C-alpha cells in the first residue's frame, strides 16, 4: 500500500481518520492530492555533482518553505503531522490544503512505461472522490506522453489534473520547481478545468496537446496548435472557451488497459522498404507514421505505400501525422492521397505523443470493432485534434459590446464584467427554460459552470426549478455537479431539498447514496 507522506499513514487510513476532520472544519478549502513520481524536481546532487533521486526528503523540504506551507495555521488546525497548507493569497480567499503521495521508488521519467501510467491513473481513481484536484510531479522527458495517456484513460473527467515538473531541482537556488508546484496547486484547488493538463513556466496547457520544446529553457513545454488553457502572471487568466468538457451523462471512470504493440515510425530520406516492412510485422498492431509537411511520403516509393496498404488490410491501424511542430495533415499533395487510399488514417494536428497514447487506448477497447476503432482515431475524444471546424468565431460578443459602451479596456475589468454577465444570462435562460439560448451561450464559449456572487451555477438554479429538460441539457453541456456555493450546497443538495432528485439525470445519480446521506447531514 502506498503511503501519503503527511504523517506516515496509508491512503486508506487517511480516509478513515484525518479526512473527515479536514472536511468538517471547512468545506470551502481546495483539497488537492500531490503525487510525487520522481523527476528532476525532487532530485539532489550526489558527491560527484550528478542529479539523482532521493526518497523521503521532498515533504520535509516543502514543510520548511513558507511559500509552500503555512506552518502556524496548519499545526493549529491539523496538528504537526497533518496535510500541508498553502498560505492565503491576496487574490484567493480559499486555502489550498494538500497531501503528498510519494512513490517508494522514484522514477526518472526516461524510465517511465505504460505500467507507470496505469499506476498513476489507478492512484488518482482511488482518491478521486476525496479531493477537488490532483497534481502529479513528473520528470520532463516523457511528461507529455504521460499527460496524453492519462487524458484518454480518464473517461468523463470532471476534475482538474495537472502534471508539472522542473528544469532544476527545487533545492537549487534558481529552481523553477517551487513556482510550478505552487501555481499547479492553486489552479487545481480553485478552478474548474476538467482536463488532464500540463503546467510549465507561465502556461497551463492541455496535456495531450503538449510537447517538450526545450532541454534548457524554463519554458520547456508548449502546445503549438492551440492556445494555453490559462496564463499565470500576476493574475490567473483562464481561457474558458478553450476548455474541453465531457458532455456525456456518464460517471467518471478509468480505462486502465493499454495496448503495448504500438510504434512510431519517422519517414526520412532513403528510408527502405525492408525497414518499413519490419515495422509492420507482428506483434505490431498500431503505427504512428511521421511524414513530411502535410503528411507526405516520397512519391517515388510505391513499394513502401504497398507495404503500408498490406498492413492496413491485415488490421494494423496506421496514423499519419506531420513531423512539423505546427500545422496538420491534409491531402494537398498526391502522396498524402495515396496514403489515404492505402488505408492510412489522418491524425490531423495530433502530436506524436498524443497519437501514440491514443492508439494504445483505442486498440485496447475490446468492445469496439475495427471499423469503430478506426473511426475513433479520427474523432476528437479529449480535445487532442482539430478537424472539420472553423478556427474563427463570428458570433457577436455581448461582453465586448458592453465593455465598449462602458469604456472598459483593462483585462482585469473585462474579466470582472464577464464574471458578472454570464452567470446572470445563464440563470435567466434557465428560469425561462430557454434551451436555444443555453446552446447559443455554449457555442459562444461561455463557461457553463461559472458561478455568480453566491457561488451558484446555472445547474444549481435548474435543480431548484426541477425542469428535467433544462437539467439534462446542462449536463450534456458538461455542467459540473460538484461545485459548492457559499452555503456549501451542491446542485444535488438543491435537488434533494426541493424533491426533484429523480429528474436530475444520470450524472447526478452517480453521486451514490453515501454522498446523498453526507449532504443531508451537512449544515444548510
Amino acid at each position: 500500500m502506498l503511503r501519503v507522506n503527511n504523517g506516515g499513514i496509508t491512503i486508506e487510513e487517511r480516509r478513515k481518520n484525518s479526512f473527515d476532520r479536514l472536511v468538517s472544519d471547512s468545506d470551502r478549502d481546495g483539497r488537492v492530492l500531490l503525487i510525487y513520481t520522481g523527476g528532476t524536481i525532487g532530485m539532489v546532487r550526489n558527491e560527484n555533482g550528478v542529479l539523482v533521486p532521493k526518497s523521503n526528503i521532498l515533504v520535509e523540504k516543502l514543510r520548511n518553505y513558507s511559500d509552500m506551507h503555512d506552518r502556524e495555521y496548519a499545526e493549529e488546525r491539523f496538528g504537526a503531522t497533518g496535510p500541508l497548507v498553502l498560505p492565503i493569497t491576496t487574490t484567493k480567499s480559499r486555502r489550498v490544503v494538500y497531501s503528498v503521495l510519494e512513490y517508494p521508488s522514484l522514477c526518472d521519467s526516461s524510465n517511465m512505461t505504460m505500467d507507470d501510467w496505469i499506476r498513476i491513473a489507478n492512484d488518482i481513481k482511488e482518491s478521486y472522490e476525496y479531493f477537488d484536484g490532483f497534481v502529479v510531479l513528473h520528470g520532463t522527458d516523457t511528461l507529455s506522453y504521460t499527460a496524453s495517456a492519462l487524458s484518454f484513460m480518464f473517461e468523463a473527467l470532471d476534475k482538474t489534473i495537472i502534471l508539472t515538473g522542473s528544469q532544476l531541482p527545487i533545492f537549487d537556488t534558481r529552481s523553477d520547481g517551487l513556482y510550478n508546484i505552487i501555481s499547479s496547486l492553486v489552479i487545481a484547488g480553485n478552478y474548474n478545468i476538467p482536463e488532464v493538463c500540463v503546467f510549465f513556466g507561465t502556461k497551463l496547457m492541455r496535456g495531450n496537446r503538449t510537447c517538450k520544446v526545450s532541454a534548457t529553457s524554463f519554458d520547456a513545454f508548449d502546445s503549438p496548435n492551440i492556445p494555453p488553457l490559462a496564463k499565470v502572471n500576476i493574475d490567473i487568466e483562464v481561457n474558458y472557451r478553450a476548455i474541453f468538457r465531457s458532455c456525456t451523462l456518464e460517471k467518471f471512470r478509468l480505462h486502465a488497459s493499454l495496448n503495448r504493440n504500438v510504434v512510431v515510425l519517422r519517414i526520412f530520406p532513403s528510408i527502405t522498404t525492408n525497414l518499413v516492412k519490419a515495422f509492420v510485422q507482428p506483434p505490431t498492431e498500431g503505427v504512428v507514421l511521421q511524414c513530411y509537411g502535410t503528411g507526405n511520403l516520397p512519391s517515388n516509393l510505391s513499394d513502401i505505400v504497398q507495404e503500408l496498404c498490406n498492413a492496413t488490410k491485415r488490421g494494423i491501424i496506421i496514423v499519419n501525422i506531420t513531423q512539423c511542430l505546427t500545422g496538420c495533415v491534409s491531402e494537398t499533395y498526391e502522396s498524402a492521397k495515396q496514403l489515404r487510399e492505402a488505408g492510412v488514417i489522418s491524425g490531423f494536428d495530433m502530436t506524436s505523443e498524443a497519437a501514440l497514447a491514443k492508439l494504445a487506448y483505442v486498440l485496447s477497447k475490446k468492445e469496439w470493432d475495427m471499423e469503430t476503432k478506426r473511426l475513433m482515431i479520427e474523432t476528437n475524444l479529449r480535445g487532442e485534434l482539430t478537424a472539420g471546424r472553423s478556427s474563427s468565431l463570428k458570433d457577436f460578443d455581448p461582453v465586448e459590446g458592453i465593455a465598449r459602451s462602458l469604456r472598459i479596456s483593462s483585462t482585469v475589468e473585462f474579466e470582472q464584467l464577464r464574471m458578472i454577465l454570464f452567470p446572470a444570462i445563464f440563470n435567466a435562460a434557465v428560469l425561462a427554460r430557454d434551451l436555444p439560448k443555453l446552446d447559443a451561450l455554449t457555442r459562444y464559449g461561455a463557461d457553463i459552470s461559472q458561478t455568480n456572487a453566491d457561488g451558484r451555477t446555472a445547474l444549481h438554479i435548474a435543480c431548484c426549478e426541477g425542469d428535467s429538460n433544462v437539467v439534462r441539457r446542462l449536463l450534456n453541456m458538461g455542467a459540473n455537479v460538484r461545485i459548492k456555493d457559499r452555503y456549501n450546497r451542491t446542485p444535488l443538495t438543491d435537488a434533494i431539498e426541493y424533491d426533484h432528485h429523480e429528474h436530475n439525470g444520470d450524472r447526478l445519480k452517480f453521486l451514490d447514496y453515501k454522498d446523498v446521506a453526507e449532504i443531508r447531514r451537512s449544515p444548510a
Side-chain angles (χ1 to χ4, degrees):
M1 176 72 72
L2 297 176
R3 291 186 174 272
V4 176
N5 291 61
N6 57 9
I9 60 175
T10 65
I11 288 180
E12 191 61 34
E13 289 169 340
R14 170 164 167 67
R15 289 174 180 171
K16 292 178 180 178
N17 301 326
S18 61
F19 186 80
D20 289 336
R21 177 159 55 93
L22 185 153
V23 172
S24 62
D25 285 345
S26 174
D27 283 321
R28 289 192 58 79
D29 287 341
R31 291 161 288 163
V32 178
L33 177 62
L34 181 72
I35 300 177
Y36 174 37
T37 68
T40 299
I41 195 165
M43 288 185 176
V44 295
R45 298 186 186 276
N46 63 14
E47 61 277 7
N48 298 318
V50 177
L51 290 174
V52 294
K54 188 173 182 180
S55 300
N56 303 319
I57 62 169
L58 178 68
V59 176
E60 280 308 308
K61 289 290 184 181
L62 295 181
R63 286 188 184 278
N64 291 324
Y65 284 127
S66 59
D67 289 344
M68 292 296 305
H69 182 51
D70 188 337
R71 181 186 296 274
E72 181 179 352
Y73 174 86
E75 290 186 359
E76 179 181 347
R77 183 173 166 195
F78 301 113
T81 59
L84 290 85
V85 184
L86 286 187
I88 204 76
T89 68
T90 56
T91 57
K92 293 293 176 186
S93 59
R94 191 185 196 202
R95 285 188 180 271
V96 174
V97 179
Y98 65 104
S99 299
V100 181
L101 173 59
E102 179 178 313
Y103 283 0
S105 298
L106 298 176
C107 183
D108 186 307
S109 73
S110 60
N111 296 327
M112 279 277 177
T113 67
M114 290 187 183
D115 290 328
D116 296 298
W117 300 346
I118 293 170
R119 178 188 190 183
I120 295 169
N122 276 317
D123 287 335
I124 291 175
K125 177 180 179 293
E126 284 185 15
S127 300
Y128 193 77
E129 296 299 330
Y130 297 87
F131 294 91
D132 299 311
F134 300 85
V135 173
V136 179
L137 301 186
H138 194 289
T140 60
D141 287 344
T142 61
L143 188 148
S144 290
Y145 286 97
T146 302
S148 296
L150 293 178
S151 75
F152 296 112
M153 295 168 71
F154 292 136
E155 300 176 341
L157 181 67
D158 63 352
K159 293 187 179 183
T160 306
I161 299 172
I162 302 175
L163 280 75
T164 192
S166 68
Q167 295 287 67
L168 291 174
I170 62 169
F171 312 115
D172 280 20
T173 303
R174 294 183 52 251
S175 174
D176 55 327
L178 284 177
Y179 177 80
N180 287 344
I181 296 176
I182 292 172
S183 298
S184 298
L185 288 170
V186 170
I187 295 171
N190 285 284
Y191 292 86
N192 175 229
I193 305 175
E195 294 202 41
V196 175
C197 310
V198 169
F199 182 85
F200 233 88
T202 59
K203 296 181 293 187
L204 182 75
M205 299 158 280
R206 178 170 301 144
N208 56 38
R209 289 286 197 152
T210 62
C211 54
K212 188 175 181 181
V213 296
S214 175
T216 56
S217 171
F218 283 158
D219 291 316
F221 287 83
D222 196 12
S223 55
N225 284 308
I226 65 168
L229 301 179
K231 294 181 180 179
V232 180
N233 295 297
I234 293 177
D235 297 309
I236 298 176
E237 301 174 5
V238 179
N239 183 1
Y240 286 104
R241 289 186 182 181
I243 296 172
F244 185 88
R245 297 181 184 277
S246 174
C247 295
T248 57
L249 301 181
E250 299 175 334
K251 182 184 179 181
F252 165 79
R253 61 186 181 275
L254 169 64
H255 181 80
S257 175
L258 293 170
N259 188 305
R260 298 157 194 269
N261 300 320
V262 292
V263 298
V264 177
L265 174 59
R266 185 180 179 93
I267 298 299
F268 57 89
S270 297
I271 188 172
T272 65
T273 302
N274 287 336
L275 189 150
V276 174
K277 185 175 182 180
F279 258 82
V280 295
Q281 295 304 307
T284 298
E285 297 180 52
V287 178
V288 177
L289 188 67
Q290 290 185 304
C291 291
Y292 303 135
T294 56
N296 305 315
L297 201 66
S299 58
N300 59 349
L301 298 181
S302 57
D303 288 348
I304 289 181
V305 175
Q306 186 59 53
E307 285 297 334
L308 297 175
C309 181
N310 295 340
T312 60
K313 288 180 179 179
R314 296 197 304 270
I316 295 176
I317 296 180
I318 304 176
V319 185
N320 183 9
I321 67 169
T322 176
Q323 296 179 8
C324 301
L325 192 61
T326 62
C328 67
V329 167
S330 67
E331 295 181 8
T332 304
Y333 297 94
E334 181 64 27
S335 60
K337 289 184 179 180
Q338 289 178 351
L339 288 175
R340 168 65 76 172
E341 292 169 356
V344 176
I345 300 172
S346 173
F348 299 100
D349 58 351
M350 279 194 290
T351 65
S352 61
E353 295 94 334
L356 185 73
K358 188 174 185 178
L359 262 180
Y361 167 77
V362 168
L363 286 170
S364 69
K365 285 282 194 175
K366 296 180 179 180
E367 65 270 27
W368 292 347
D369 59 22
M370 184 54 64
E371 182 180 354
T372 301
K373 290 178 180 179
R374 291 175 60 86
L375 177 64
M376 289 299 104
I377 290 294
E378 291 190 309
T379 300
N380 185 20
L381 300 179
R382 307 286 191 273
E384 73 280 1
L385 60 83
T386 308
R389 64 174 183 269
S390 171
S391 60
S392 63
L393 184 69
K394 298 181 180 179
D395 296 342
F396 171 69
D397 188 334
V399 179
E400 290 181 0
I402 296 173
R404 283 195 300 269
S405 67
L406 296 175
R407 298 181 180 179
I408 290 174
S409 58
S410 76
T411 301
V412 174
E413 289 179 320
F414 186 86
E415 287 305 314
Q416 289 174 342
L417 181 62
R418 182 187 295 274
M419 292 175 66
I420 294 171
L421 287 180
F422 276 130
I425 298 172
F426 266 125
N427 293 346
V430 167
L431 291 172
R433 273 69 167 173
D434 191 340
L435 298 183
K437 181 172 286 186
L438 291 175
D439 292 337
L441 286 165
T442 306
R443 286 196 303 272
Y444 165 75
D447 179 11
I448 193 69
S449 297
Q450 191 170 345
T451 59
N452 62 16
D454 284 328
R456 293 176 67 74
T457 66
L459 188 57
H460 280 90
I461 306 300
C463 287
C464 289
E465 292 298 304
D467 188 310
S468 61
N469 290 329
V470 175
V471 171
R472 186 170 290 276
R473 183 64 62 88
L474 291 172
L475 292 172
N476 274 317
M477 292 174 177
N480 192 309
V481 303
R482 302 173 184 276
I483 293 177
K484 295 179 180 179
D485 64 16
R486 66 185 301 179
Y487 306 108
N488 194 35
R489 298 166 66 90
T490 66
L492 182 59
T493 314
D494 289 331
I496 293 171
E497 180 165 324
Y498 290 93
D499 199 29
H500 299 311
H501 55 282
E502 69 276 10
H503 300 301
N504 282 319
D506 296 333
R507 191 184 293 178
L508 286 177
K509 291 178 183 177
F510 286 133
L511 296 174
D512 60 26
Y513 292 115
K514 177 183 177 183
D515 297 321
V516 173
E518 288 298 325
I519 290 171
R520 284 175 171 160
R521 285 200 295 269
S522 66

